[in-house]
Amino acid sequence: MTRNHTSVSYFVFLGFADYPELNSVLSVAFLLAYLITLAGNLLIIIITLADSALHTPMYFFLRNLSFLEICYTSVTIPKMLTSLFLDNKTISFIGCATQMYFLLFLGGTECYLLAVMAYDRYVAICHPLHYPVLMSSRVSMELAAASWITNFLVLMGHIAAIFTLAFCSSHEINHFFCDVPPVMELACGDTHGTEIAILLVALFFVLAPFVLILVSYAHIISTILKMPSAEGRYKAFSTCSSHLLAVTIFYGTACAAYLKPKSSHSANGDKIIALFYSVLTPMLNPIIYSLRNKDVKEALRRLSKKMCF
Ligand SMILES: *[C@@H]1O[C@H](CO)[C@@H](O)[C@H](O)[C@H]1NC(C)=O
């Protein structure tokens, strides 16, 4: 059957179409998750700006990450909510390409920012004397800016490669939003070259920062283990444990979603994994950072005192 691919001018999200009884539970859960994400990340942004004890590169990166998480969730959840609440499950072709672009651009930037944060911890713990020079406020701003700009530019070509494919089999996306694997499934003709290109970009954007993070943490952990006092070890570890936890959750789910051969995709499994990195991780980040981090907790206490008087 050959249909003209120009006829695909919109897509329809199927969501969890096999389980329509889940719709109302999911709508409420997504709405709550979105509100918690916005509130938590806004709080991190406010507190790292307002409290002078948190005016360090580490919290500058954390603020940048929180800002990123707000953008990242705003790309997917509002559209998911309108499809669940208003039963409007369609998205235009351009809308889908735009959504995927921002999803990849912001996701890629998150990988880079997490790597920059690991490098920041590496310098702070392994080279504390050089920290003020190696991680000046100018350097940290440039590192953050580089993360945003590289991803912004490179992923444009990526999106162009995907959306110039022919879409002719169906316009039903078996997912909540325009993610790469479910959209690629609808492409017809020879998608081999594009799939390899996607894998290469994924390797570059997911794996390269991941290797940087691993190397940083290998150095950090060996330095911490060599510290003479237990108190010093505990203090050093506590400044990077929340970052380590956030990295593990983010990379665990991202790898499960993207670094898998096409044949091993199960649609419902993929959707659940996608919920982890699109909804759960951005919501957990501020919680991880504020509950596990003494400086943030103290800053929160100071802020609430100021607000009361
Ligand atoms: C994040 O970093 C970029 C680049 O340095 C900067 O322009 C932007 O203002 C930062 N965002 C926040 C919320 O700190």
Side-chain angles (χ1 to χ4, degrees):
M1 185 177 69
T2 48
R3 242 190 279 159
N4 191 351
H5 63 83
T6 53
S7 65
V8 174
S9 58
Y10 69 96
F11 294 102
V12 178
F13 294 123
L14 293 183
F16 276 124
D18 311 345
Y19 308 96
E21 67 276 12
L22 280 181
N23 266 11
S24 45
V25 180
L26 284 180
S27 337
V28 176
F30 289 162
L31 183 61
L32 273 180
Y34 189 49
L35 293 177
I36 295 174
T37 306
L38 291 184
N41 284 298
L42 266 178
L43 188 64
I44 297 269
I45 292 178
I46 291 171
I47 203 149
T48 51
L49 279 175
D51 198 287
S52 55
L54 301 185
H55 287 175
T56 65
M58 178 171 145
Y59 293 105
F60 165 74
F61 294 131
L62 182 60
R63 177 164 68 245
N64 228 282
L65 189 70
S66 282
F67 173 67
L68 181 89
E69 301 281 26
I70 290 178
C71 302
Y72 185 74
T73 44
S74 301
V75 171
T76 52
I77 302 186
K79 181 67 200 161
M80 276 151 69
L81 288 175
T82 56
S83 30
L84 286 165
F85 277 113
L86 308 177
D87 216 32
N88 172 13
K89 294 184 165 43
T90 61
I91 188 167
S92 67
F93 190 81
I94 294 293
C96 185
T98 312
Q99 186 180 48
M100 195 193 287
Y101 173 66
F102 278 99
L103 197 69
L104 294 183
F105 155 48
L106 296 169
T109 307
E110 172 143 4
C111 292
Y112 275 50
L113 270 183
L114 288 174
V116 169
M117 290 168 86
Y119 173 70
D120 167 71
R121 288 300 84 208
Y122 160 74
V123 178
I125 291 172
C126 303
H127 303 283
L129 296 180
H130 298 133
Y131 186 72
V133 179
L134 287 177
M135 201 47 89
S136 64
S137 64
R138 190 170 144 215
V139 171
S140 46
M141 222 132 96
E142 283 168 356
L143 283 174
S147 309
W148 287 87
I149 293 167
T150 325
N151 283 278
F152 181 79
L153 295 176
V154 173
L155 290 166
M156 248 188 238
H158 203 51
I159 287 298
I162 293 175
F163 282 87
T164 47
L165 289 171
F167 291 93
C168 46
S169 49
S170 153
H171 52 220
E172 291 183 334
I173 297 179
N174 194 1
H175 208 61
F176 298 103
F177 50 86
C178 288
D179 208 349
V180 182
V183 170
M184 284 299 287
E185 230 146 74
L186 305 184
C188 50
D190 187 14
T191 60
H192 217 73
T194 315
E195 269 178 56
I196 291 175
I198 289 177
L199 196 66
L200 286 181
V201 173
L203 283 182
F204 190 68
F205 279 85
V206 178
L207 222 52
F210 187 56
V211 169
L212 264 174
I213 292 173
L214 284 185
V215 172
S216 303
Y217 271 100
H219 283 286
I220 289 172
I221 289 171
S222 82
T223 306
I224 288 181
L225 290 180
K226 276 187 233 140
M227 287 179 175
S229 77
E231 197 197 341
R233 279 198 293 268
Y234 175 77
K235 235 178 116 189
F237 187 69
S238 73
T239 66
C240 57
S241 61
S242 20
H243 178 251
L244 194 56
L245 190 59
V247 165
T248 313
I249 298 177
F250 181 77
Y251 269 96
T253 51
C255 290
Y258 288 105
L259 299 181
K260 256 192 337 184
K262 199 176 178 179
S263 50
S264 72
H265 282 289
S266 100
N268 281 330
D270 284 356
K271 281 181 239 173
I272 291 171
I273 291 172
L275 290 186
F276 269 91
Y277 63 80
S278 60
V279 179
L280 211 60
T281 320
M283 180 173 82
L284 286 183
N285 266 355
I287 300 175
I288 292 173
Y289 277 100
S290 46
L291 288 189
R292 296 188 53 90
N293 189 306
K294 229 171 68 199
D295 295 336
V296 175
K297 271 196 268 186
E298 269 162 27
L300 273 173
R301 210 168 299 136
R302 280 194 291 272
L303 185 73
S304 58
K305 246 188 219 156
K306 242 191 257 169
M307 305 264 269
C308 290
F309 295 115

